[in-house]
Structures are given as C-alpha cells and as structure tokens.
Amino acid sequence: MIIREYAGSDKNRILELLRLNTPKFFSPNEEKDLSYYLDNEADNYFVLVMESKIVGCGGFNLTEDGKTAKISWDIFDPGYQGKGLGSALTRFRIEKIKENKQVKTLSVRTSQLVYPFYEKFGLRLREVVKDFWDEGFDLYQLDCDIESV
C-alpha cells in the first residue's frame, strides 16, 4: 500500500471511483462538485495505491483561519472496501493535520450512509440536514477536538 499526493493525471481514476460508488454512496449530482474540487481545491488530497492501481482517495482542507481541518471526498473502489484501507488513509491524514499546530478542530460533512465510520475516530455528530446532498442523501456534520483523535 502506498499513499501519495494527488496528481492531476489521477483525476479520471478518481471520477471513476466516484461512479463506482454512485448511487450507493454518492448522488449522481456530486460528480461536477468533485471535478471542481479536484481542479481547484485539492491542495491536501491523497490517493491510496495498491497493485499499481489507485483504489482509494481522500483529502482535507483548512478553514480560512486555519483552526479547523475538514476531511473531504473519501472514495474507495468497492472491491477494496472493508479491508481497513479507509482507516489507514484517515489515520494518515489525521497525522498530516496534526503537523499543523494551528489546527484545533477536525470536521467532516458526510451522509447517513458512512458517518459511523468517522465516529470510530472520535468525531461526534453535531447536525443532520435531511436531503442536503440530494433526495435521500442527508448531511451528517461531525467534529471533535484534534487532540482527542
């Protein structure tokens, strides 16, 4: 397993991973948002490679004041889900985030389908907004103090 920084040449594979998880985990309407993100906001975005193939990805972004790190766009090939790779990538990002001593809060906006995954890392549910991402895809906002992770 190799975790490395995202490169622009990875974009097509990342979009393919999203499609493999649509509509089970993502709304079809989210592809344009991910494409924009990859082109404009993927400063701290990473890919997980196994067997010379990208099988997962995820990143984080900092708020303007630098005090909150927001986990973003976690996507895994369905054939590689449930093997601990998502946890490995999340731990990797948490360690990267902790290198920045200005960060105080870890946050994620996800759906009802995967929020329990983030609770395993100590994030706590703070808000639910029904049909936020699309019909049937609710927003689950979680966060925690970075030192508690």
Side-chain angles (χ1 to χ4, degrees):
M1 171 183 74
I2 297 168
I3 298 174
R4 65 165 173 78
E5 288 187 15
Y6 166 80
S9 58
D10 300 328
K11 182 177 179 179
N12 286 339
R13 175 62 178 156
I14 303 305
L15 293 174
E16 180 183 353
L17 291 176
L18 180 75
R19 289 181 204 118
L20 290 171
N21 285 281
T22 303
K24 185 173 183 180
F25 293 109
F26 294 94
S27 161
N29 296 328
E30 292 182 85
E31 185 170 334
K32 67 182 180 309
D33 294 336
L34 176 58
S35 182
Y36 179 87
Y37 176 87
L38 294 173
D39 291 341
N40 299 286
E41 299 172 359
D43 297 331
N44 295 294
Y45 203 69
F46 304 92
V47 296
L48 190 146
V49 180
M50 291 193 65
E51 302 161 357
S52 301
K53 161 171 100 167
I54 296 172
V55 300
C57 52
F60 68 89
N61 297 86
L62 300 176
T63 54
E64 251 185 62
D65 65 7
K67 293 182 179 182
T68 300
K70 301 181 289 182
I71 292 174
S72 57
W73 289 109
D74 290 354
I75 312 167
F76 273 83
D77 185 310
Y80 290 83
Q81 291 172 4
K83 300 181 185 304
L85 301 176
S87 293
L89 182 57
T90 300
R91 281 191 299 275
F92 173 87
R93 288 178 291 164
I94 290 169
E95 290 310 310
K96 286 277 191 196
I97 291 165
K98 284 183 170 185
E99 291 173 7
N100 182 338
K101 300 302 179 196
Q102 191 176 359
V103 175
K104 304 298 180 204
T105 304
L106 180 63
S107 175
V108 67
R109 296 182 342 153
T110 190
S111 74
Q112 73 272 22
L113 304 170
V114 294
Y115 83 93
F117 170 81
Y118 296 104
E119 288 183 322
K120 294 187 298 185
F121 293 91
L123 285 98
R124 295 290 166 243
L125 184 61
R126 304 292 185 208
E127 180 181 20
V128 176
V129 179
K130 185 162 179 49
D131 297 329
F132 179 85
W133 307 109
D134 201 351
E135 186 175 339
F137 291 90
D138 303 339
L139 166 70
Y140 275 57
Q141 172 79 37
L142 298 92
D143 64 37
C144 68
D145 183 315
I146 191 68
E147 294 306 317
S148 69
V149 184

